[in-house]
Amino acid sequence: MAQVTVTIDGKAYRMACDEGQEEHLISLAERFDRYVGHLKDSFGEIGDQRITVMAGIMVMDELVELQKRIKGMETEVATLRKTRDEALLKADKQDSALTGVILELAERIEAVAVKISNGDSSDQAPSG
């Protein structure tokens, strides 16, 4: 288990983390420290514990908003997938219908070609 020292509000805290996660933990601590600094700038010295709790609540509020956005995006993705699947199904049905029509036309053309090659004039208009 790795250990790093992070600084929050000018105070150093020694913390343990998984190997390879040191930079991530330091980055998180730096972000949290910015929340604390912002609150101190806004409210002044109102007590370390109160500032830390307020910063934690701000982070949780941000997390909840992001979770709401993710849920909305997941719903949108599901709707888009359903719409895509319906469009693909409709396209497949149209392709099948078109293929059937083309095959039918090809058969009729072949039949006409056979009649013409056999000299069958029953389909020809009378000359006159």
Side-chain angles (χ1 to χ4, degrees):
M1 177 123 329
Q3 291 202 357
V4 294
T5 301
V6 299
T7 303
I8 307 288
D9 193 26
K11 295 171 190 70
Y13 298 92
R14 189 115 181 107
M15 305 189 88
C17 63
D18 290 334
E19 294 291 334
Q21 293 296 308
E22 298 88 350
E23 289 301 316
H24 181 64
L25 180 56
I26 290 168
S27 174
L28 292 173
E30 288 170 350
R31 288 181 67 186
F32 189 75
D33 188 49
R34 285 194 291 273
Y35 279 94
V36 171
H38 169 74
L39 288 169
K40 279 188 120 174
D41 291 345
S42 297
F43 298 105
E45 291 293 333
I46 59 171
D48 291 346
Q49 192 171 20
R50 179 180 248 177
I51 289 285
T52 303
V53 168
M54 289 172 68
I57 290 171
M58 284 178 65
V59 169
M60 291 307 298
D61 182 52
E62 195 173 295
L63 175 64
V64 167
E65 288 304 313
L66 290 172
Q67 287 172 331
K68 286 179 188 176
R69 286 180 58 194
I70 288 170
K71 186 168 178 68
M73 288 178 186
E74 287 172 341
T75 300
E76 186 175 342
V77 166
T79 300
L80 290 171
R81 283 182 177 152
K82 181 180 178 193
T83 302
R84 178 205 59 199
D85 291 345
E86 289 170 355
L88 289 172
L89 185 61
K90 185 177 179 181
D92 283 346
K93 286 180 181 178
Q94 289 175 342
D95 284 351
S96 294
L98 186 58
T99 300
V101 168
I102 290 171
L103 288 173
E104 183 181 321
L105 285 173
E107 289 171 1
R108 290 172 73 186
I109 290 169
E110 267 186 57
V112 169
V114 166
K115 284 182 181 181
I116 290 173
S117 69
N118 290 338
D120 187 352
S121 60
S122 62
D123 286 342
Q124 296 177 357
S127 52

